[in-house]
Amino acid sequence: MGEDAMNDIDTAYIEQKFVEYCKVNTRSDPNNNCVPTTKGQVELLMIIKNELQELGLTNISYSAKDSYLVGLLPSNTATLTTAVGFVAHVDTADYNAENVKPQIYRNYDGKKIYLDPQKDRVLDPAEFPSLKKHIGETLITASGSTLLGADDKAGIAGLLGMLKYFKNHPNAEHGDIWVAFGPDEEIGQGAKRFDISRFPVEFAYTLDNGDPGDIAYETFNAASATLQFKGTIVHPGEAYGLMVNATTMASEFIESLPKDQVPEKSKDFEGFMMVLSNSGDVGYAKVELIIRDFDTDSFLAKKQMLIDLVDAFNKKYGENRVEISMHDQYKSPGDLIKQYPYVVNLVLHAYEKMGLVPKIIPFRGGTDGDFISEKGIPTPNLFNGGANFHGPYEYVSVESMSLLSKTLITIVQLHLKMCDHRDNTPLKRKY
Ligand SMILES: [Zn+2]
């Protein structure tokens, strides 16, 4: 893509769509088992569905089963290529999203922004230094009492910005591009249900959080563990040599866990174990904890350590005093994605081409990409350009969202070029 074409991103369109979508309340509900968990999400998906039609996509479909909206921008090239996918989520975090009123600051001057009329909530560059990166840009914030919803409506707007570019430039060649919009990411439910037979791509990217230049393809491997301690109740006056106190056992167990592998002492690619709760009495005690690790081997080692500890306690206090049950929660897509370095290299190459500094970052939490990768489509996360997610200080600039559109166009065009000299060997499957 030439420099001129780069300037052809329709920033007014991106801004308009973003503001429109932010106004739809799509807060997901962790206490609801419906698909999706809130009606507002379907409302927005239907609005986007119409937009995909306007943009000339085909194979547009919404399934009530998984609540995913998908569509295809068909290849317009004779070059044999494979399909690439992009994914964004429509729901917003568990924070007030009623009556979101996006505020637009053109040519942002780098000063404090008073979000609400009472001036209680202030976006202060002294507190949020990343604001200074956006001086001169068009900044969008919420109005004090709600979140904005840049997570992930900035991803949606950036994605539509790419589709608009290809509609406006029919001569710009590209292969098949599939897009998917899903629900309930914030509560970790949406992508679990995604029927990927509806999304026939070779690889995909989520456009969630992060800064321009970021790529994340390793997240935690995650498991939860429940430990049950059975005591023996005896009158304290006659307890000598007889009483086994479940609560004391539970405390001793917690004390035996590694002290440095806790969230408050872990960062970047370091894992941890965290005690979520500890309750009980003399007869019975229960400890719940979670295990997180980027590296599969050390994840398994952490789980094994718990099992070994349980064995040691049962040797010390008698058989079946302690029982453990563990459940895997989600899996890092890292192992899968590392088998297909092309998926990451393509993005690094695109970033370099655009003059962005590529940064491979750890994603310290679950994402849609974890579930989609687990289903077999390698899916790293890129960025959406917003900041201060999940609360009233959230903001994004129109320029950041446009940069996302440009990134996606660059990826698509680079992929087409690479297909020319990849001897058409699909990364993983024929499409
Ligand atoms: Zn998100």
Side-chain angles (χ1 to χ4, degrees):
M1 179 161 59
E3 273 312 306
D4 290 347
M6 278 295 224
N7 295 330
D8 276 355
I9 300 287
D10 191 341
T11 54
Y13 170 80
I14 291 169
E15 176 184 320
Q16 186 208 331
K17 289 296 138 194
F18 177 74
V19 168
E20 181 189 342
Y21 298 168
C22 282
K23 290 178 184 167
V24 184
N25 180 350
T26 56
R27 176 182 182 169
S28 45
D29 179 359
N31 301 314
N32 191 337
N33 291 324
C34 295
V35 184
T37 58
T38 50
K39 279 194 203 127
Q41 298 185 65
V42 184
E43 191 188 321
L44 180 55
L45 285 162
M46 290 308 117
I47 294 171
I48 300 172
K49 191 172 176 223
N50 286 335
E51 195 56 35
L52 296 184
Q53 264 147 10
E54 294 280 317
L55 290 165
L57 270 70
T58 64
N59 301 61
I60 300 169
S61 80
Y62 171 79
S63 161
K65 272 193 195 146
D66 58 14
S67 229
Y68 263 81
L69 167 70
V70 300
L72 167 70
L73 186 66
S75 168
N76 63 358
T77 174
T79 307
L80 190 55
T81 178
T82 56
V84 54
F86 297 110
V87 183
H89 68 87
V90 294
D91 66 316
T92 58
D94 205 10
Y95 190 87
N96 184 19
E98 197 75 50
N99 271 319
V100 175
K101 295 191 191 86
Q103 308 290 305
I104 300 172
Y105 301 86
R106 296 199 193 280
N107 199 6
Y108 171 56
D109 59 8
K111 293 187 184 144
K112 283 184 192 175
I113 293 175
Y114 295 97
L115 296 172
D116 56 336
Q118 298 79 30
K119 302 196 171 181
D120 285 341
R121 292 239 156 91
V122 191
L123 254 184
D124 185 348
E127 198 180 342
F128 304 108
S130 68
L131 278 165
K132 293 195 184 117
K133 287 191 268 184
H134 302 284
I135 293 174
E137 299 185 355
T138 298
L139 208 66
I140 307 180
T141 72
S143 59
S145 57
T146 66
L147 48 61
L148 176 64
D151 177 5
D152 186 25
K153 288 160 185 174
I156 297 172
L159 181 43
L160 294 183
M162 172 202 70
L163 296 174
K164 187 76 166 33
Y165 174 86
F166 284 123
K167 182 182 161 78
N168 292 346
H169 300 83
N171 294 327
E173 276 185 85
H174 59 81
D176 279 347
I177 304 169
W178 281 90
V179 296
F181 303 88
D184 294 324
E185 188 276 343
E186 299 293 354
I187 55 171
Q189 294 302 318
K192 251 188 212 174
R193 297 183 286 242
F194 188 19
D195 171 7
I196 60 155
S197 70
R198 307 178 56 225
F199 196 55
V201 298
E202 192 187 27
F203 57 99
Y205 302 98
T206 52
L207 316 170
D208 204 0
N209 299 9
D211 290 324
D214 285 354
I215 178 167
Y217 56 92
E218 284 191 88
T219 60
F220 291 128
N221 294 290
S224 64
T226 303
L227 291 135
Q228 301 189 80
F229 298 84
K230 279 175 221 148
T232 301
I233 305 176
V234 184
H235 187 283
E238 292 155 15
Y240 184 81
L242 296 173
M243 180 191 277
V244 178
N245 189 327
T247 291
T248 314
M249 256 193 297
S251 306
E252 188 185 335
F253 193 93
I254 292 171
E255 275 303 301
S256 315
L257 298 172
K259 302 263 183 302
D260 54 337
Q261 293 176 32
V262 290
E264 57 271 38
K265 291 182 184 166
S266 314
K267 59 178 167 40
D268 301 330
F269 284 98
E270 292 164 348
F272 61 80
M273 279 189 277
M274 177 170 97
V275 177
L276 289 182
S277 72
N278 173 19
S279 60
D281 50 30
V282 176
Y284 175 82
K286 191 165 111 175
V287 171
E288 287 180 301
L289 46 88
I290 55 170
I291 306 143
R292 299 287 186 263
D293 211 299
F294 284 89
D295 182 74
T296 308
D297 289 339
S298 41
F299 176 64
L300 296 175
K302 281 189 169 66
K303 294 210 284 191
Q304 189 58 47
M305 198 202 76
L306 290 176
I307 293 167
D308 293 344
L309 256 182
V310 168
D311 286 346
F313 268 65
N314 282 331
K315 279 210 182 87
K316 183 173 171 184
Y317 290 103
E319 225 164 291
N320 299 326
R321 287 286 181 188
V322 191
E323 265 175 36
I324 183 167
S325 63
M326 279 194 275
H327 296 281
D328 285 338
Q329 293 171 300
Y330 54 87
K331 201 171 159 335
S332 171
D335 287 350
L336 175 81
I337 290 168
K338 279 179 195 160
Q339 291 172 44
Y340 307 104
Y342 175 81
V343 177
V344 175
N345 291 338
L346 181 67
V347 175
L348 298 180
H349 192 168
Y351 284 157
E352 269 161 29
K353 215 166 165 254
M354 296 174 64
L356 293 171
V357 182
K359 219 168 125 197
I360 296 174
I361 56 158
F363 210 115
R364 295 181 68 83
T367 72
D368 279 348
D370 299 354
F371 297 113
I372 299 172
S373 296
E374 208 175 333
K375 290 169 195 272
I377 301 172
T379 307
N381 184 59
L382 306 182
F383 65 91
N384 65 22
N388 300 342
F389 298 115
H390 295 192
Y393 300 104
E394 213 177 351
Y395 70 84
V396 67
S397 80
V398 174
E399 284 77 1
S400 297
M401 292 188 279
S402 306
L403 197 57
L404 175 58
S405 304
K406 288 176 191 174
T407 301
L408 305 185
I409 296 162
T410 310
I411 289 171
V412 163
Q413 297 193 329
L414 213 50
H415 176 54
L416 184 64
K417 247 193 220 166
M418 297 303 292
C419 284
D420 269 345
H421 40 90
R422 272 206 301 155
D423 65 15
N424 297 316
T425 309
L427 295 192
K428 52 193 284 282
R429 57 173 135 162
K430 270 253 181 281
Y431 171 69

